[in-house]
Amino acid sequence: MDKDLLPKRSFAQKYHVRGIGGTILFFFLLWGSAVMTGVNWGDFFTNLDQFFDLLSRMAHPAWDYTNIVIQPIIETIQMALIGTTIGTLIAIPFSVLAARNLVKNPIVRGIIRFILNLVRTLPDLLLAALFVAVVGIGSTAGVWTLAVFSFGMISKLFYETIETIDDGPLEALRAAGANNVQVVVFAVIPQVLNSFVSYFLYTFEINVRASTVLGYLGAGGIGVYLQRSLSSFRYDQTAVIVIAILLVVIVIDAVSNKLRERLQ
Amino acid sequence: MNDRPVMIEFDNVQKVYPNGTVGLKDIDLKIYEGEFVAVVGLSGAGKSTLLRAINRMHDVTGGDLKVDGQSIVGYKGKELRNLRRSIGMIFQDFNLVNRSSVRRNVLSGRVGYYPTWKSSLDLFSSEDKKRALDSLNRVNMTEKLYTRVDELSGGQQQRVAIARALMQDPKIMLADEPIASLDPLTATAVMDDLLSLNKDLGITVLANLHSVPLAMKYADRIVGLRAGQLVYDKPIAEVSQDDFEGIYSENEAVKEGALNG
């Protein structure tokens, strides 16, 4: 084939200017961040023995502590379940109002999305600190933290799901004289229900993991015991707690993954 | 040409889309009660827009449109929903909810007659449940009552869609390319169903069709659109195959000639 007939690549395309430039920039930023934060590789390795010391002390878990741990770990799961449920229930109407294919009015949608973006910028630890200050130390603070956190996360997942549905059935329902609520009930919900349940389980998984740490700030659950054992240098108890958390997270992840696979 | 009452009347109807595209231009057209009218024309000629103007899925930008003697261009809210529930519509892609059962899809055609809370809780009257069975029976789909729609073939889905539209107890049936996604054999079955609604139930049918032979076989009357304008309107007895060259030709000169044809 005659080479002159092919379209010409621009200079940037021919020498991969973007790819090479981006890589150089990335390494430059990496190096810059290391210098500014004073990362010291020497310190990291000289302190490794402390790490092993900790590990060896955790190597003999205080198994009799297990009975005490069971109650707070159940509380942690309950916190996650209630928090996720409350967050999901509030997220449903918001996600409907934020979906481009359901709400044509850009102002309503804009306001709703602004609120959702705002909620999502709050990290869960900050929320926990906030709610502990408002409702006091205990699992109530944890539940509210997880509710707000899951609300922000789920509403975004939900409205993005709603925006991917087939608009055909919506048109058919409108053409049959259905009002907006009826369109949502008969044409939207059947299309999104499985994804919604799947996202609920996914958020629940994340919340179980998150709620183990929330106790650190006084928001109830197993985290309270984690903090107590660490600050009293009872690493044998810490080991029991870590193992318990690990088991619970693995079991819940496995169950939820199985369920979500079935929903596909 | 007709002593039957007028069902749909376009009076100098215009439709210009917000981006300036002309959808419909100077449409004057009367559809009589009980007619089976086929609308033919190239893609983009305005066939879909014409159909959707009748149930106001598209708003017209000029002129007047009457359905059953009432001007519908100013309808809003409840009035508009009542107009829509009296007009059935079927679509090229069937527009059923794939994850729901045939039963629920068919019943959803009736929601226009129910208050929000009642329909949302699935509280359909036993009369309407029977109506769903009758509708399915009419299109020979009764045995699929509890099947999920995504397990049905295209032709079966379109027949379920017809049953859903029948639930509305419609005076008019709009069919937007009802057979464009179907193979020739199932296409004929679906067209037969539409014809039986027209002949047995007296429902006025307006169907957009790509296939001129099918239009000639089923319709009482054929209207042709070209670039948003009505370029052809003849009862089936006067239609000849040669007429369609004007409607389907890309040639500008032919188009000018066909404007009065």
Side-chain angles (χ1 to χ4, degrees):
Chain A
M1 202 195 229
D2 193 348
K3 230 182 165 187
D4 296 335
L5 284 177
L6 289 171
K8 292 270 180 290
R9 280 195 293 184
S10 69
F11 177 82
Q13 279 177 321
K14 197 168 181 182
Y15 295 101
H16 307 287
V17 169
R18 273 197 205 176
I20 293 171
T23 312
I24 293 172
L25 186 71
F26 174 72
F27 278 110
F28 178 74
L29 287 174
L30 202 65
W31 173 77
S33 311
V35 169
M36 301 274 266
T37 53
V39 172
N40 188 332
W41 287 100
D43 268 4
F44 181 76
F45 287 108
T46 47
N47 286 335
L48 262 185
D49 55 332
Q50 273 189 34
F51 176 71
F52 288 116
D53 176 50
L54 195 74
L55 267 188
S56 68
R57 280 202 268 169
M58 283 173 71
H60 309 284
W63 294 116
D64 52 331
Y65 195 60
T66 316
N67 289 331
I68 304 168
V69 167
I70 287 174
Q71 176 54 34
I73 211 139
I74 289 173
E75 189 186 63
T76 298
I77 298 169
Q78 286 165 337
M79 269 164 54
L81 189 62
I82 298 170
T84 316
T85 308
I86 294 174
T88 306
L89 290 179
I90 307 171
I92 290 172
F94 272 83
S95 57
V96 168
L97 291 175
R100 192 176 292 123
N101 49 351
L102 297 185
V103 175
K104 303 286 181 219
N105 185 338
I107 298 166
V108 175
R109 224 170 50 220
I111 293 171
I112 297 284
R113 286 194 182 195
F114 178 74
I115 296 171
L116 297 182
N117 286 335
L118 211 65
V119 172
R120 262 201 319 282
T121 55
L122 301 170
D124 49 355
L125 288 178
L126 181 74
L127 282 170
L130 212 66
F131 278 111
V132 167
V134 174
V135 301
I137 288 179
S139 50
T140 315
V143 168
W144 285 115
T145 303
L146 295 173
V148 173
F149 178 70
S150 9
F151 163 68
M153 181 169 154
I154 284 197
S155 47
K156 185 174 172 71
L157 292 170
F158 276 15
Y159 83 66
E160 283 179 349
T161 308
I162 294 177
E163 286 182 350
T164 62
I165 65 173
D166 175 13
D167 282 339
L170 278 64
E171 188 191 16
L173 259 290
R174 286 206 183 93
N179 63 33
N180 289 333
V181 177
Q182 289 169 328
V183 169
V184 170
V185 171
F186 281 88
V188 178
I189 290 178
Q191 292 194 64
V192 297
L193 192 62
N194 280 10
S195 309
F196 274 22
V197 175
S198 168
Y199 284 136
F200 172 84
L201 290 169
Y202 176 59
T203 309
F204 175 62
E205 264 177 61
I206 291 177
N207 280 347
V208 169
R209 261 171 276 161
S211 61
T212 56
V213 199
L214 291 182
Y216 237 86
L217 294 156
I222 190 74
V224 179
Y225 290 76
L226 187 65
Q227 194 240 7
R228 203 177 288 162
S229 69
L230 279 173
S231 56
S232 58
F233 304 107
R234 290 292 307 271
Y235 293 115
D236 51 343
Q237 293 180 354
T238 310
V240 174
I241 294 171
V242 170
I243 290 168
I245 291 173
L246 205 65
L247 274 178
V248 166
V249 169
I250 287 172
V251 168
I252 284 178
D253 278 16
V255 171
S256 137
N257 275 328
K258 260 274 165 315
L259 284 174
R260 290 200 285 136
E261 260 170 39
R262 285 202 171 182
L263 285 170
Q264 291 309 312
Chain B
M1 72 164 249
N2 214 316
D3 51 358
R4 288 184 280 193
V6 178
M7 185 54 105
I8 305 162
E9 186 174 356
F10 287 80
D11 183 9
N12 196 28
V13 165
Q14 319 284 335
K15 165 78 185 180
V16 182
Y17 285 96
N19 63 11
T21 314
V22 176
L24 297 173
K25 191 162 184 284
D26 309 332
I27 301 282
D28 281 302
L29 178 67
K30 282 183 180 141
I31 310 284
Y32 296 91
E33 191 179 322
E35 270 191 310
F36 193 126
V37 180
V39 184
V40 297
L42 290 169
S43 300
K47 302 193 299 289
S48 271
T49 315
L50 185 83
L51 246 62
R52 283 172 169 74
I54 297 168
N55 61 359
R56 287 275 312 279
M57 293 302 282
H58 282 342
D59 289 334
V60 299
T61 46
D64 193 21
L65 213 168
K66 289 198 182 85
V67 171
D68 217 2
Q70 303 284 317
S71 171
I72 60 152
V73 292
Y75 277 7
K76 275 190 199 134
K78 186 76 188 157
E79 249 178 346
L80 179 58
R81 292 200 297 275
N82 284 350
L83 166 79
R84 284 177 177 167
R85 83 177 181 197
S86 70
I87 302 174
M89 187 161 194
I90 60 172
F91 306 83
Q92 175 177 349
D93 298 316
F94 326 129
N95 289 358
L96 299 167
V97 181
N98 286 330
R99 286 170 180 269
S100 295
S101 68
V102 166
R103 180 176 182 273
R104 193 169 157 84
N105 268 286
V106 172
L107 280 170
S108 77
R110 195 71 188 165
V111 296
Y113 290 88
Y114 282 83
T116 308
W117 69 272
K118 238 180 174 175
S119 56
S120 302
L121 296 175
D122 247 341
L123 298 173
F124 290 100
S125 68
S126 53
E127 193 185 325
D128 282 337
K129 286 173 191 162
K130 186 169 178 302
R131 191 191 300 270
L133 282 178
D134 292 343
S135 304
L136 280 172
N137 206 18
R138 179 158 278 284
V139 292
N140 295 319
M141 290 290 294
T142 319
E143 78 273 23
K144 300 290 185 191
L145 186 63
Y146 297 109
T147 312
R148 250 173 70 145
V149 165
D150 51 11
E151 291 165 18
L152 302 178
S153 71
Q156 290 174 324
Q157 290 194 25
Q158 192 59 294
R159 274 139 74 194
V160 171
I162 291 174
R164 173 177 66 185
L166 274 177
M167 290 297 285
Q168 296 169 234
D169 212 356
K171 295 179 291 195
I172 300 167
M173 183 72 89
L174 306 173
D176 188 19
E177 306 282 0
I179 53 168
S181 312
L182 302 177
D183 62 74
L185 209 66
T186 36
T188 311
V190 165
M191 287 307 290
D192 284 339
D193 282 335
L194 279 180
L195 189 66
S196 91
L197 309 189
N198 177 249
K199 296 296 173 244
D200 304 347
L201 304 177
I203 297 171
T204 309
V205 177
L206 211 67
N208 289 344
L209 293 172
H210 263 313
S211 152
V212 172
L214 280 177
M216 290 178 70
K217 183 176 169 198
Y218 287 95
D220 306 325
R221 179 179 165 198
I222 296 181
V223 299
L225 284 180
R226 186 172 178 122
Q229 289 179 298
L230 199 65
V231 293
Y232 187 90
D233 184 0
K234 278 186 186 172
I236 200 73
E238 297 169 24
V239 173
S240 79
Q241 189 70 45
D242 304 337
D243 293 346
F244 296 104
E245 279 178 22
I247 303 171
Y248 280 112
S249 164
E250 307 274 355
N251 188 320
E252 282 301 308
V254 181
K255 177 191 167 192
E256 292 307 313
L259 276 172
N260 305 316

